[in-house]
Amino acid sequence: MSKSDLTRRGVMKAGAAGLAVPTIFTAGSAAAYTNEPTGGSVTLGFNVPQTGPYADEGNDELLAQQLAVEHLNGEGDGGCLNTFTSKALQGNGILGKKVEFVTGDTQTKSDAARASAKSMIEKDGAVMINGGSSSGVAIAVQGLCQEAGVIFMAGLTHSNDTTGKDKKANGFRHFFNGYMSGAALAPVLEKEYGKDRRAYHLTADYTWGWTQQESIAAATEATGWETVNNVLTPLASTDFSSYIAPVLNSGADVLVLNHYGGNMVNSLTNAIQFGLLDKEVNGKDFKIVVPLYSELMAAGAGENIKGVFGSMNWNWQLQDDGTKAFVKSFGEKYGKPPSNSAQTCYAQTLLYADACERAGTFNPCGVVEALEGFEFDGLGNGPTLYRAEDHQCFKDVLVVKGAENPTNAYDTLEIVEITPRAQVEYAPDHPMFAGGDLGSCNPGA
Amino acid sequence: MDAFIIQILNGLDKGSAYALIALGLTLIFGTLGVVNFAHGALFMIGAFCAVFLQQVLSISTVAIDETQKDFLGNPLKVETPYVENWFGPELGGAIIDWSVPLALIFAIPVMIAVGFIMERGLIKHFYKRPHADQILVTFGLAIVLQEVIKYFYGANPIPTPAPDVFKGSFDFGSLLGFDPNVIIYPYWRMVYFGFSMVIIAGIFAFLQFTTFGMVVRAGMVDRETVSMLGINIDKRFTMMFGIAAAVAGLAGVMYTPINPPNYHMGMDFLVLSFVVVVVGGMGSLPGAVLAGFLLGILESFASTTWATTTIPGINQIIIYLVAIIVLLTRPRGLMGRKGVMED
């Protein structure tokens, strides 16, 4: 009599385990990797905020992503394909397959963003997810893509954690981060406002705010500034008067607003209303700093941003060939200059496509290998490195300030300095980025 | 002491907005018996009346200036507002500068019309339906209205500044013998507080000293008896809906310089305003005003560094905490009447 290992309890356990495994891990098991394209086309997933308070920024990202798809398929004027130093892309899609795309709505909520990314991967067969406008969302979606076995090309995410403690092998960030903002801004602030300054921080209470505040405080303290206080403000805050009123009385002479989006618009507007910039403290003119700027949000703050310093990943006013090509393509198609979140999504889409071409496959592990340590130029940010150790791009950072005399609706920010890449580099094991593990690439399937 | 005064002042303008919205909510609830979740949307529409007027006043003629270039390197289109062409740069500029106060005049008929259409077109069909149905339909309406505004104006906040003369802040501290800059308060927030006081006083005077107001008050107490006396109370209540909409709209217009308006601003105020109404006492107008200022000031105190370090997160929950305490100790709210929502 043969002995079977099967027991009723064992079968139940196995069944339950099988049910518990998301379909994302079981679908397409015959393929070499998740969503291996088999027809004449390949599908990219653009996951951006289409509703909610960041919808305009998401829409700008989507316009840039659509433009990138056009250029990849050989339509339009080719944009940065003409200036990109890698010449692998020929304008005939990716690996000869026509590029198609689906879109998802992150709503700037982690759970909604994961759900829309999951849907694009499972239902639409997306091989890559790109976009987004929040670090909380980016980290959530990056984790999902790692589990699912697809590549995540992050959009606007500025928290150190995205390529720090939450880094993943399948995730790549072109955008800069809080540490880089601090490293670029601090010397300019020291030059403009002096060494002897006392800073008061208002910080959005989530991953991005925390890491940016830590970075800016460390960088400014290294130049001699003192951090008087750091007050965490709830992300849902709309009126910051209660937080701003005590600032002058604290002995601080600089207010650092670690806020983004609607928070930034409102806190800056409130600070201007309180007349902080007209005051004198410790014998010095009071100053406000907004470490992370976005053109769209700058427009929302109106003339309140005049002369206020901050940093950016990229700006349409740069004069390099890559920027000119992208601004021309985008401007002629949509009648406005692109934002820096649009540029990062455009660049990320081209970088992914180029990596597939160079790797000769859509297999995430091949793409990861092609992107790690990849040096390139011609996409608008100058010579850039995709560092292998943490999948963070290293490139020049822009220090900007609110335009004093804007000549048109788009002339909200002026470039003060292009901080060279060497000044914003850091070791992969830097304490602000410690605690994570890149792991190994996951091809899924 | 200085921190205490600062937070009282801060609470006043926030409380003003809560009080004005809650006043409108209570008027509608007290007269029509409808729980109007679209009231925040009326506040938002009022704010966008200011945005609309600012944009209308800024409609410009376009001249090509060959000496300047736009972002694509083409000759720059220089825009000059028609208002400046018609009235000269100084007067024209002043009209644009004062667009927010001017929007009050524009917003009153618009908001009354919006309120009238809302009430006659949709809400009147729900008078005899359960409160849950009213909440669902008005909440749905609020979402529709904000999406309509988003369609036309986008999701980004739109800067709508106060007139130049109100920029900056007043140094209360110097007045009270403190050092300079210790207690400062923005001029526009003072205007907002004063404005809300005038509106609140106006509403109370209207209800107290006019025949119309007397009938409405009688209707709020006993609708059936007033109807039996041959008075068309429904017509008056519809007009009260229009007035409540106008109050919310005017509160929205004047709020635009405090925070640049976006399509979502109504929702930000709505939930808190309902808490204000409940704390004040359902159907009580003085209760709504009192609770509005009380909760505004308490919220300000809860946002101080001292409060947030002593009890982390207190700024997020203070209003709800107070609501729980008030409802436990005074189930009808601070000034609630017996019989309201108790049948």
Side-chain angles (χ1 to χ4, degrees):
Chain A
M1 188 176 127
S2 64
K3 186 172 180 283
S4 169
D5 287 338
L6 281 176
T7 62
R8 188 173 62 88
R9 187 177 292 263
V11 170
M12 293 289 280
K13 275 185 183 171
L19 283 174
V21 175
T23 50
I24 219 166
F25 303 120
T26 54
S29 57
Y33 51 88
T34 299
N35 294 336
E36 181 180 358
T38 49
S41 65
V42 58
T43 305
L44 309 182
F46 297 140
N47 206 22
V48 303
Q50 297 182 46
T51 56
Y54 290 175
D56 286 1
E57 192 158 78
N59 185 47
D60 217 43
E61 291 184 0
L62 205 50
L63 295 178
Q65 288 157 332
Q66 288 167 356
L67 192 66
V69 169
E70 276 185 21
H71 292 166
L72 289 172
N73 286 332
E75 299 158 15
D77 62 8
C80 286
L81 258 52
N82 304 313
T83 56
F84 194 15
T85 47
S86 172
K87 297 299 174 196
L89 293 167
Q90 300 300 318
N92 60 346
I94 308 174
L95 296 171
K97 293 182 190 295
K98 186 170 190 287
V99 181
E100 293 177 346
F101 67 91
V102 289
T103 71
D105 181 7
T106 68
Q107 301 172 36
T108 318
K109 293 175 185 161
S110 297
D111 53 348
R114 279 176 70 97
S116 58
K118 191 165 182 283
S119 168
M120 287 191 287
I121 296 166
E122 286 186 353
K123 295 198 179 119
D124 304 314
V127 289
M128 180 274 271
I129 300 295
N130 167 237
S133 203
S134 147
S135 289
V137 163
I139 289 167
V141 175
Q142 181 164 262
L144 176 98
C145 290
Q146 178 71 33
E147 293 163 14
V150 300
I151 293 291
F152 176 60
M153 302 296 280
L156 190 152
T157 162
H158 187 248
S159 169
N160 291 344
D161 291 348
T162 312
T163 46
K165 77 175 178 58
D166 295 309
K167 58 182 173 277
K168 294 281 183 279
N170 283 32
F172 289 84
R173 170 162 66 179
H174 173 265
F175 208 70
F176 71 147
N177 57 41
Y179 176 90
M180 295 174 174
S181 281
L185 259 177
V188 175
L189 295 176
E190 181 196 358
K191 195 172 122 201
E192 294 284 333
Y193 303 148
K195 285 179 183 295
D196 181 25
R197 281 281 183 171
R198 293 160 61 83
Y200 191 107
H201 289 244
L202 291 183
T203 302
D205 194 6
Y206 74 110
T207 172
W208 168 72
W210 304 327
T211 66
Q212 175 169 288
Q213 192 278 331
E214 182 188 24
S215 304
I216 302 293
T220 50
E221 283 168 14
T223 68
W225 285 28
E226 182 189 343
T227 305
V228 176
N229 200 357
N230 175 37
V231 176
L232 298 176
T233 59
L235 194 57
S237 301
T238 51
D239 185 20
F240 292 84
S241 55
S242 311
Y243 302 104
I244 286 166
V247 172
L248 281 178
N249 206 14
S250 68
D253 45 40
V254 178
L255 174 63
V256 181
L257 295 173
N258 298 302
H259 288 149
Y260 186 71
N263 276 359
M264 186 280 270
V265 170
N266 286 358
S267 64
L268 181 59
T269 304
N270 291 169
I272 302 291
Q273 269 164 20
F274 270 78
L276 295 194
L277 287 180
D278 307 325
K279 304 293 178 190
E280 200 176 270
V281 182
N282 307 328
K284 305 179 190 78
D285 289 339
F286 196 94
K287 298 293 178 188
I288 300 175
V289 178
V290 177
L292 177 61
Y293 260 135
S294 125
E295 304 87 339
L296 295 167
M297 302 307 166
E303 56 182 36
N304 293 329
I305 61 162
K306 272 186 184 179
V308 174
F309 280 89
S311 64
M312 290 182 90
N313 188 57
W314 175 87
N315 185 279
W316 62 270
Q317 297 170 84
L318 286 166
Q319 289 301 314
D320 60 283
D321 290 342
T323 297
K324 282 184 188 166
F326 176 51
V327 172
K328 181 169 174 289
S329 276
F330 192 99
E332 286 180 349
K333 189 169 171 65
Y334 304 120
K336 61 178 183 178
S339 63
N340 80 153
S341 56
Q343 189 263 348
T344 207
C345 288
Y346 177 84
Q348 285 281 69
T349 307
L350 294 195
L351 284 165
Y352 171 79
D354 176 74
C356 292
E357 287 284 352
R358 287 185 292 109
T361 176
F362 292 98
N363 187 324
C365 290
V367 175
V368 168
E369 201 181 327
L371 279 173
E372 284 184 341
F374 179 49
E375 297 240 27
F376 61 93
D377 197 353
L379 294 185
N381 302 89
T384 306
L385 164 71
Y386 240 132
R387 187 159 73 178
E389 288 85 349
D390 53 8
H391 296 184
Q392 170 68 53
C393 263
F394 286 84
K395 52 195 164 19
D396 298 346
V397 168
L398 303 185
V399 175
V400 296
K401 71 172 179 177
E404 297 283 359
N405 297 303
T407 52
N408 60 65
Y410 307 114
D411 185 19
T412 50
L413 298 163
E414 58 187 63
I415 298 167
V416 176
E417 180 192 277
I418 301 173
T419 307
R421 171 172 137 188
Q423 191 180 315
V424 299
E425 284 176 333
Y426 54 87
D429 59 351
H430 189 283
M432 286 186 198
F433 296 83
D437 178 21
L438 197 61
S440 52
C441 72
N442 176 21
Chain B
M1 184 60 191
D2 48 329
F4 184 79
I5 299 171
I6 284 176
Q7 296 310 338
I8 294 268
L9 288 171
N10 273 335
L12 287 182
D13 59 72
K14 213 176 284 184
S16 303
Y18 292 156
L20 285 175
I21 299 175
L23 188 67
L25 272 173
T26 307
L27 275 176
I28 292 173
F29 183 76
T31 51
L32 301 166
V34 172
V35 182
N36 182 21
F37 264 70
H39 206 68
L42 293 171
F43 177 75
M44 181 267 296
I45 290 173
F48 276 87
C49 283
V51 173
F52 177 77
L53 187 70
Q54 179 184 260
Q55 292 183 349
V56 167
L57 291 175
S58 303
I59 292 174
S60 304
T61 54
V62 177
I64 304 291
D65 183 352
E66 297 286 349
T67 60
Q68 297 186 70
K69 304 287 179 201
D70 71 2
F71 73 97
L72 286 173
N74 301 322
L76 185 69
K77 292 173 182 167
V78 178
E79 299 184 352
T80 314
Y82 279 104
V83 183
E84 288 190 10
N85 285 340
W86 293 336
F87 300 105
E90 274 195 23
L91 182 58
I95 291 173
I96 295 171
D97 185 37
W98 280 76
S99 64
V100 170
L102 286 175
L104 290 174
I105 304 164
F106 167 67
I108 290 171
V110 170
M111 293 312 300
I112 289 176
V114 168
F116 190 79
I117 293 167
M118 198 189 265
E119 198 269 343
R120 286 290 95 184
L122 183 69
I123 294 176
K124 78 164 184 180
H125 303 294
F126 285 80
Y127 286 156
K128 296 195 186 334
R129 302 273 285 270
H131 284 309
D133 289 10
Q134 296 171 354
I135 290 171
L136 283 174
V137 75
T138 51
F139 195 73
L141 181 62
I143 292 171
V144 170
L145 289 174
Q146 70 176 31
E147 289 303 315
V148 168
I149 291 292
K150 195 173 98 178
Y151 176 79
F152 287 106
Y153 290 95
N156 261 357
I158 300 169
T160 319
D164 278 341
V165 65
F166 294 114
K167 282 184 181 156
S169 55
F170 179 70
D171 198 335
F172 266 103
S174 307
L175 212 63
L176 299 169
F178 290 95
D179 291 336
N181 295 338
V182 170
I183 304 171
I184 55 169
Y185 195 60
Y187 290 117
W188 186 258
R189 288 177 187 249
M190 288 162 64
V191 171
Y192 194 79
F193 174 64
F195 171 80
S196 71
M197 287 286 99
V198 170
I199 294 286
I200 290 166
I203 292 288
F204 277 90
F206 177 69
L207 290 174
Q208 202 66 34
F209 303 122
T210 64
T211 313
F212 184 97
M214 191 180 69
V215 172
V216 168
R217 278 189 294 126
M220 284 170 79
V221 176
D222 192 340
R223 183 182 185 139
E224 278 182 19
T225 308
V226 174
S227 299
M228 284 164 68
L229 292 172
I231 296 168
N232 186 352
I233 194 71
D234 285 351
K235 189 177 155 195
R236 285 174 169 76
F237 281 178
T238 302
M239 288 171 76
M240 282 316 292
F241 195 103
I243 290 171
V247 169
L250 295 181
V253 169
M254 293 295 276
Y255 199 76
T256 53
I258 292 178
N259 280 329
N262 62 29
Y263 75 100
H264 200 259
M265 67 188 294
M267 284 292 179
D268 297 336
F269 275 92
L270 179 75
V271 177
L272 291 175
S273 299
F274 265 98
V275 177
V276 167
V277 170
V278 171
V279 169
M282 293 295 285
S284 166
L285 295 174
V289 175
L290 175 73
F293 283 106
L294 186 71
L295 293 182
I297 291 168
L298 278 175
E299 199 184 10
S300 268
F301 276 104
S303 303
T304 56
T305 313
W306 174 81
T308 48
T309 45
T310 311
I311 310 172
I314 185 68
N315 49 350
Q316 296 277 283
I317 59 166
I318 182 73
I319 284 190
Y320 306 101
L321 208 59
V322 172
I324 290 169
I325 294 166
V326 168
L327 289 180
L328 281 176
T329 52
R330 294 181 66 89
R332 293 195 184 102
L334 294 175
M335 301 175 80
R337 285 183 292 121
K338 191 179 177 185
V340 178
M341 260 195 132
E342 289 176 6
D343 47 2

